[in-house]
Amino acid sequence: MKVETFETPQDAAKALAGEVAELIRTRAAEGRNVVLGLATGATPLPFYAELVRLHKEEGLSFANVISFNLDEYSGLDHDHPESYWYFMHTNLFNHIDMKPENINLPSGTVKGDEIAAHCAAYEQKIKDCGGIDLQILGIGRTGHIGFNEPADDFPELTHLVDLAPQTLAANARYFDEPDTMPRQAITVGLGVLMRAKRILLLLSGSGKAEITERLLCGRIVPQVPATILRLHPDVTAVIDEDALQLVRAHAPNLIP
Ligand code: PGA
């Protein structure tokens, strides 16, 4: 895993958006699409703001972009303000020129017996589009990526997951009535992420200092799902100084 360090989340977001913009422009010049894997959460917000700025001020077009989001809460429909569909449209899609038919998220409203088929179809659609060229990832305090929570094994396939207590605690603040927060979500499996051609993993803020240390210095174990990314051939962890503070204190030689 390559590590790039930045003073602030805004500096990291600019670098990240610059790489994504270059890929989009190169592919557009070749008449080809780009498949992006996208994430929600507080971490990628400065990155999405920078993509919107590049579109509005520098004319970056997203007409050749196909996107697949990592996950969606089970039980929330599109217009619920805490659905990830709503999040992505409010923070990115409503402000750029992506074609609506190129936007993909797992459904929050499939139920019961239909969930397994929905998950399989979502994976198949990613494959049919040629796989993910560039995956943007955040990481939860549990070490989850997507909503792949700590477990005894690395979950390979897209599936319905019970959210970990720490994740419920971290995200309940976004809900007006925290008790109504869904307890389950559909998430892409780690197989989808490990097949992405390139991954940019963002870690920002002191709240991520502990998990940053476990990610970079700990063992590769399914109890910290993000550690599997160290086996991927092309991952860059983009980390700001607040998130790096424990690694700097305990293992300064492991980072640039
Ligand atoms: P955050 O969430 O960016 O809001 O910290 C990240 C995650 O849970 O994957």
Side-chain angles (χ1 to χ4, degrees):
M1 181 180 290
K2 198 172 155 217
V3 174
E4 283 180 11
T5 65
F6 292 89
E7 276 303 317
T8 69
Q10 284 70 26
D11 296 336
K14 264 198 179 331
L16 221 62
E19 175 170 340
V20 172
E22 194 179 316
L23 177 64
I24 293 172
R25 288 194 178 108
T26 304
R27 288 288 180 87
E30 296 165 356
R32 295 168 65 201
N33 287 331
V34 184
V35 181
L36 297 182
L38 298 178
T40 51
T43 309
L45 284 175
F47 163 68
Y48 292 144
E50 178 62 10
L51 290 184
V52 171
R53 191 196 67 77
L54 287 170
H55 174 67
K56 289 195 189 306
E57 293 179 15
E58 298 185 22
L60 177 66
S61 172
F62 292 78
N64 64 329
V65 174
I66 298 171
S67 72
F68 288 90
N69 263 80
L70 292 168
D71 43 24
E72 179 60 282
Y73 287 118
S74 184
L76 300 191
D77 61 24
H78 287 174
D79 50 16
H80 190 290
E82 292 311 328
S83 76
Y84 286 162
W85 174 277
Y86 193 94
F87 175 101
M88 288 306 302
H89 283 76
T90 311
N91 291 298
L92 183 64
F93 300 143
N94 290 348
H95 312 290
I96 60 177
D97 62 340
M98 263 184 81
K99 298 179 186 144
E101 65 270 27
N102 285 347
I103 293 170
N104 299 280
L105 287 94
S107 166
T109 53
V110 283
K111 290 197 181 85
D113 292 353
E114 293 166 21
I115 290 177
H118 176 70
C119 291
Y122 196 71
E123 287 214 4
Q124 190 57 47
K125 192 163 183 193
I126 296 174
K127 284 183 189 150
D128 292 346
C129 289
I132 290 169
D133 293 307
L134 183 57
Q135 175 70 52
I136 305 298
L137 273 184
I139 184 172
R141 284 162 182 73
T142 59
H144 72 206
I145 42 177
F147 271 136
N148 293 282
E149 298 285 16
D152 291 335
D153 300 294
F154 290 108
E156 182 196 348
L157 299 174
T158 298
H159 63 290
L160 181 73
V161 64
D162 293 330
L163 299 174
Q166 231 183 325
T167 301
L168 293 170
N171 291 2
R173 65 195 153 111
Y174 295 118
F175 287 78
D176 287 342
E177 294 174 56
D179 287 351
T180 62
M181 183 186 169
R183 299 290 192 260
Q184 292 183 308
I186 290 179
T187 181
V188 296
L190 296 176
V192 168
L193 302 182
M194 292 303 280
R195 284 193 301 271
K197 294 172 192 105
R198 174 155 167 71
I199 296 176
L200 292 166
L201 173 64
L202 281 88
L203 297 108
S204 69
S206 54
K208 297 292 168 67
E210 205 174 300
I211 195 62
T212 300
E213 185 175 26
R214 294 178 79 191
L215 171 73
L216 297 181
C217 311
R219 286 187 300 135
I220 298 173
V221 287
Q223 288 77 19
V224 186
T227 54
I228 200 170
L229 297 175
R230 288 177 14 216
L231 303 178
H232 186 284
D234 192 6
V235 183
T236 301
V238 176
I239 315 179
D240 71 19
E241 285 300 328
D242 284 341
L244 268 179
Q245 54 190 267
L246 292 179
V247 183
R248 287 237 185 264
H250 302 148
N253 296 323
L254 290 185
I255 44 173

